[in-house]
Amino acid sequence: MSRILLATSSVLVLAFLCLPALIVIPMSFSSASSLEFPPPGFSLRWYESFLGDPRWLLALQNSVVVALLSSTIALLVGSVAAYGLVRGTFRGRALIEGVFIAPLVVPSVIIAVALYIFFAQIGLLGTMTGLVIGHTVLGVPYVILVMSVAIGSFDHRIEQVALSLGASTSMMFRRVLLPNLLPSVFAAWIFALIASFDEVIVTHFIAGRHDTVPKRMFNELVLQVNPTITAIATLLIALSVVAIGIIVLLLRRGGVRMQSLT
Amino acid sequence: MATIRRFPAEFGYVLPLLLLMLAVFILPIALMLARSVTQPEWTIEHYQNLIETSVYLRVLGRTLRIAVITTIVCAVLGYPLAYWMRGLSPQRQVVATALVVLPFWISILVRTYAWIVVLGNAGVVNRILLDLGLVGAPVAFLYNELGVIIGTTNVLLPFLVLPLFAAMVRIDDRLLHAAESLGASRRTVFRRVFFPLSLPALAAGSILVFILTFGFFITPAILGGGRVPMVANALDLLINQFARWETAAALSTVLLVVTLACFAVSRWVGARGATS
């Protein structure tokens, strides 16, 4: 009896967790401009109103540019740093790692306030440069977490063999380490990319008049209810599903289990 | 690990990112903390201001209340779910885990928006209630604390369930069998053996939910409709509307201290759980 109760309540909680996704996708194909659910008819009008609106398209362009730049910077500097952290024996590594992971722990709104005041004083407030810098900071923890696991599980002796056979350090990186870690490198990059593409709070504070897709969505949601958002939401869900699929495949090929990341 | 050669170069690998993070993460936060006590000169007036102005105390009190309620609701909903998932077959565990992780990957804006569709005055739930004649007028689920708590719980529940489930899976079945074979009832095994073993993970997960709720911004802004400002929303107003940087810096410092203190406690609890 109690087992049935437990199973029922658990299934209900799972349903509660997944309800938003189940609601939003059908809503995006609704023909009504009200919040009727289930939708009275099928239409693609909300997709048209997204893809036909130059302001949304500009926001999309900004989102893509900022996400690509910030995730790439985070990946490059972060992977190299992760290598130093994993292979290094110098003191203070735990503290340094703490600094790199901190943006994940410190509430985004604090980072937002701090960057707002800082950027206002050095003239980066409301600039794309400032936005890329902010997003890079937020992407770094993901790169460090993924790449530390990947580098830690790669046999250090293989690197030493390459070096002792006469490879230079940079050759060892390019010809030995990178090809072996490539799946994890891509996974880390996608994590940082999604983190940036999804970011609302820091962007809301420091982007000034520049719009990104989430920032514009947030502003629309605060002001009014506009079903265009369901179309964007569905596109974002599709993007996420593709991204998770790629990450899972890459990490499996890279020999990293998802569990070790959580 | 001790046989690894010492490369001075290895610190050089870390250096670029370290400099970057010091310049655009640590320094801005340090300057913000400094600003809260040094503008225009050494002073604690901005903190006095927080205490003396009833608005901030009310916002802090509301944030604390919502965080505590959300944490309790997450624990009450999440613990049975994790316990149930532990008993499933491995294939079903994968499916259940995927369903728990799924919302993680959907923009929080989207998830919050869905609650307007579900719980709004013309939403699904209210129409069912009206059609069934259970209520005479739409129930106000949104734009109050209830709406914020529902939305926040929905977003944060996976943060409790995932680590809790992972910890429960690690609890050795043989311990439970041993207790049973020694004559303990199912209920006693759970109460005296299983629950104590899962408690550190439950505590750590609850603290994580508490920390995350305390700094929550998007859900209270949208589902609270401006009527349920939490700390983060007050910061938004202070910075983007009133340009009161010093007060914002002081309030951020309070938020940061609460967060880091809770984080330290959760690390301590986690470490105790790992050694016991």
Side-chain angles (χ1 to χ4, degrees):
Chain A
M1 183 59 205
S2 64
R3 267 165 192 274
I4 297 170
L5 199 68
L6 179 68
T8 316
S9 73
S10 300
V11 170
L12 285 177
V13 174
L14 277 180
F16 168 70
L17 277 173
C18 298
L19 186 68
L22 298 178
I23 291 279
V24 166
I25 297 174
M27 288 290 292
S28 71
F29 298 104
S30 171
S31 57
S33 55
S34 64
L35 288 177
E36 245 176 281
F37 189 90
F42 176 88
S43 96
L44 291 174
R45 60 186 285 201
W46 305 116
Y47 290 87
E48 283 161 21
S49 93
F50 171 54
L51 297 169
D53 186 336
R55 288 168 302 173
W56 277 113
L57 291 180
L58 182 63
L60 181 64
Q61 186 192 328
N62 284 339
S63 275
V64 170
V65 168
V66 171
L68 283 176
L69 283 175
S70 66
S71 60
T72 307
I73 299 170
L75 180 72
L76 291 175
V77 206
S79 303
V80 174
Y83 183 82
L85 279 179
V86 172
R87 297 289 187 235
T89 48
F90 53 87
R91 292 173 60 164
R93 273 176 303 149
L95 182 66
I96 294 174
E97 191 178 3
V99 170
F100 294 165
I101 306 294
L104 211 54
V105 180
V106 175
S108 296
V109 71
I110 292 180
I111 303 176
V113 172
L115 283 181
Y116 181 97
I117 296 175
F118 184 64
F119 283 170
Q121 287 168 316
I122 60 172
L124 280 178
L125 192 65
T127 64
M128 287 294 268
T129 313
L131 201 52
V132 171
I133 292 175
H135 281 214
T136 304
V137 168
L138 297 171
V140 160
Y142 297 99
V143 174
I144 293 291
L145 287 173
V146 174
M147 291 312 293
S148 295
V149 173
I151 295 166
S153 59
F154 183 71
D155 194 338
H156 186 51
R157 287 168 298 186
I158 300 174
E159 295 165 29
Q160 288 172 330
V161 167
L163 291 174
S164 69
L165 288 174
S168 67
T169 313
S170 77
M171 193 189 235
M172 186 278 287
F173 268 110
R174 273 184 295 116
R175 303 281 295 275
V176 178
L177 201 57
L178 192 58
N180 277 291
L181 297 183
L182 209 52
S184 298
V185 171
F186 270 116
W189 182 63
I190 292 173
F191 269 113
L193 197 74
I194 295 277
S196 162
F197 202 80
D198 225 20
E199 213 289 322
V200 184
I201 302 173
V202 172
T203 315
H204 172 73
F205 275 76
I206 67 171
R209 286 187 304 167
H210 291 293
D211 254 345
T212 64
V213 170
K215 183 184 171 218
R216 208 176 141 72
M217 283 174 80
F218 177 75
N219 287 334
E220 295 262 315
L221 279 176
V222 171
L223 292 177
Q224 54 176 346
V225 170
N226 177 349
T228 308
I229 287 166
T230 58
I232 304 168
T234 305
L235 292 175
L236 286 177
I237 292 173
L239 190 74
S240 301
V241 169
V242 172
I244 312 167
I246 295 175
I247 289 179
V248 169
L249 278 178
L250 290 173
L251 288 180
R252 195 171 289 162
R253 276 184 52 191
V256 178
R257 293 270 167 84
M258 280 304 271
Q259 278 95 335
S260 55
L261 291 176
T262 51
Chain B
M1 287 302 280
T3 57
I4 288 172
R5 282 184 290 167
R6 272 172 186 272
F7 275 112
E10 277 148 2
F11 185 70
Y13 295 136
V14 176
L15 200 58
L17 182 60
L18 187 59
L19 291 177
L20 178 75
M21 294 300 275
L22 287 178
V24 295
F25 177 64
I26 299 295
L27 178 66
I29 288 182
L31 287 176
M32 182 190 74
L33 298 182
R35 179 173 276 271
S36 73
V37 288
T38 58
Q39 288 290 330
E41 63 214 5
W42 279 103
T43 175
I44 56 161
E45 72 172 283
H46 305 304
Y47 290 91
Q48 277 175 329
N49 192 6
L50 283 188
I51 294 170
E52 281 160 11
T53 318
S54 63
V55 176
Y56 302 117
L57 281 187
R58 244 184 296 140
V59 166
L60 278 169
R62 177 186 299 124
T63 307
L64 190 65
R65 187 168 62 242
I66 291 178
V68 168
I69 295 174
T70 304
T71 307
I72 293 172
V73 174
C74 279
V76 168
L77 295 181
Y79 192 92
L81 176 61
Y83 183 71
W84 175 72
M85 284 168 63
R86 182 184 184 273
L88 293 177
S89 67
Q91 291 89 342
R92 287 184 176 195
Q93 276 183 353
V94 172
V95 175
T97 312
L99 288 177
V100 174
V101 178
L102 178 77
F104 259 145
W105 288 93
I106 300 168
S107 165
I108 179 171
L109 288 167
V110 177
R111 285 181 275 164
T112 306
Y113 175 83
W115 290 112
I116 301 180
V117 178
V118 178
L119 296 176
N121 279 346
V124 185
V125 173
N126 264 321
R127 252 181 304 123
I128 293 174
L129 290 176
L130 287 171
D131 288 350
L132 292 177
L134 290 174
V135 292
V139 181
F141 291 108
L142 294 184
Y143 312 121
N144 53 34
E145 283 189 19
L146 178 64
V148 174
I149 290 168
I150 294 174
T152 312
T153 303
N154 183 255
V155 172
L156 295 182
L157 194 51
F159 287 93
L160 182 110
V161 172
L162 283 181
L164 189 57
F165 170 64
M168 283 183 179
V169 167
R170 281 197 297 270
I171 294 176
D172 196 334
D173 268 326
R174 286 171 299 182
L175 282 172
L176 311 180
H177 295 321
E180 250 175 81
S181 70
L182 289 171
S185 68
R186 275 187 168 281
R187 188 177 291 253
T188 313
V189 172
F190 177 79
R191 196 165 49 83
R192 299 281 298 276
V193 182
F194 188 86
F195 186 71
L197 285 172
S198 64
L199 200 56
L202 178 64
S206 300
I207 295 170
L208 181 63
V209 170
F210 180 83
I211 295 176
L212 291 171
T213 318
F214 214 83
F216 235 45
F217 175 70
I218 297 169
T219 307
I222 295 173
L223 293 184
R227 272 172 251 178
V228 194
M230 291 172 61
V231 171
N233 309 103
L235 285 171
D236 182 24
L237 288 177
L238 285 172
I239 289 282
N240 291 317
Q241 301 283 333
F242 307 132
R244 297 208 19 208
W245 294 5
E246 282 70 36
T247 315
L251 192 55
S252 297
T253 307
V254 173
L255 178 57
L256 186 62
V257 168
V258 171
T259 305
L260 293 181
C262 291
F263 185 69
V265 171
S266 79
R267 288 294 288 261
W268 179 72
V269 169
R272 268 174 52 118
T275 51
S276 67

